[in-house]
Amino acid sequence: MFPSCKKKLSPLQRRSLQMFGGNLSLIVGISVASQYFVEHGHPSKTVALCLAVLVAIPVVGIMAVVGRYLRQETDEFVRLLVTQALLWGLGLTMVVNTMMGLLTQFYPIYRLPPILNIDLFCVTAMIALRVQLWRSQS
Amino acid sequence: MKNRLRVLRAERNWSQADLAEKLVVSRQSVNAIETGRFDPSLPLAFKLARLFDIPIEAIFYDE
């Protein structure tokens, strides 16, 4: 994900990647568990609210990891690439959500659960960063 | 902005990786500066000037 994935990552990049991956795994795990609990456990409103907060915590964690990385990264070009990748991820996520939102109004199609937005954002941002790194290799 | 980074680097027989190591940046950063796709910040420009021991204007110039 970060510059020269096949080569040595800086300690900051390695640590940030690990924390990013950890938070993403938490999001997936908590989302799946929450979904199962909601469908089979029929929780009360209070419990549902607590679950919603629980799922949001690793999302905040991801933003904190990214923010911390951008603050501490000394290579300004890499900082620029990461920022651009995040913007691409945000843009693509909004495009997908907008399209799905409009289509759902007219057709009874399956809608992407909002809880998957963060996964979509992270995946698209990572792909965008890889593309930018590949382009900057030349 | 244009720059003479490639020429200065070649005069000292440094690779992009060598220069990147001396500046504590990635090789992609050096490549991006050399090809004009990225203009360095003032601190990095000063770092380059100190490294080559020449004024900033001798490295970077307007198109």
Side-chain angles (χ1 to χ4, degrees):
Chain A
M1 174 182 166
F2 281 111
S4 306
C5 263
K6 295 177 184 175
K7 300 174 188 172
K8 195 173 66 171
L9 295 174
S10 69
L12 171 67
Q13 290 168 352
R14 191 177 299 111
R15 197 167 52 244
S16 299
L17 258 181
Q18 289 168 351
M19 292 171 70
F20 186 89
N23 275 289
L24 200 55
S25 304
L26 263 180
I27 289 171
V28 171
I30 295 175
S31 301
V32 169
S34 303
Q35 193 74 14
Y36 181 83
F37 182 62
V38 164
E39 286 175 5
H40 296 89
H42 306 293
S44 65
K45 284 182 184 176
T46 308
V47 173
L49 183 61
C50 290
L51 277 175
V53 171
L54 191 65
V55 171
I57 288 172
V59 175
V60 174
I62 280 185
M63 295 300 122
V65 167
V66 171
R68 182 173 161 273
Y69 169 76
L70 287 174
R71 200 171 56 247
Q72 295 184 353
E73 175 61 71
T74 54
D75 191 327
E76 53 201 54
F77 180 65
V78 170
R79 223 169 33 231
L80 173 69
L81 292 184
V82 172
T83 305
Q84 287 178 340
L86 291 172
L87 286 172
W88 272 107
L90 181 65
L92 288 169
T93 302
M94 287 200 293
V95 163
V96 169
N97 270 280
T98 303
M99 289 173 61
M100 294 288 281
L102 187 69
L103 287 172
T104 305
Q105 289 183 14
F106 295 104
Y107 303 105
I109 60 173
Y110 177 73
R111 183 174 181 165
L112 191 72
I115 207 168
L116 289 181
N117 278 334
I118 184 65
D119 301 307
L120 180 62
F121 167 74
C122 291
V123 168
T124 50
M126 283 192 282
I127 292 172
L129 183 59
R130 282 309 298 163
V131 169
Q132 289 190 97
L133 288 171
W134 170 75
R135 288 179 64 194
S136 70
Q137 292 285 355
S138 54
Chain B
M1 295 192 80
K2 291 187 176 178
N3 61 78
R4 298 178 53 240
L5 210 55
R6 189 162 290 174
V7 171
L8 293 166
R9 190 168 53 80
E11 285 173 358
R12 289 154 181 78
N13 213 24
W14 291 345
S15 65
Q16 286 186 344
D18 292 333
L19 181 56
E21 198 176 333
K22 294 176 192 306
L23 295 172
V24 194
V25 296
S26 62
R27 193 199 62 80
Q28 286 92 342
S29 302
V30 171
N31 181 269
I33 295 171
E34 279 188 6
T35 55
R37 284 185 285 123
F38 176 70
D39 289 330
S41 66
L42 270 177
L44 185 55
F46 271 106
K47 221 173 178 180
L48 278 162
R50 273 195 298 271
L51 184 67
F52 290 113
D53 198 25
I54 53 176
I56 290 181
E57 296 86 353
I59 304 175
F60 299 96
Y61 55 95
D62 283 331
E63 295 182 43

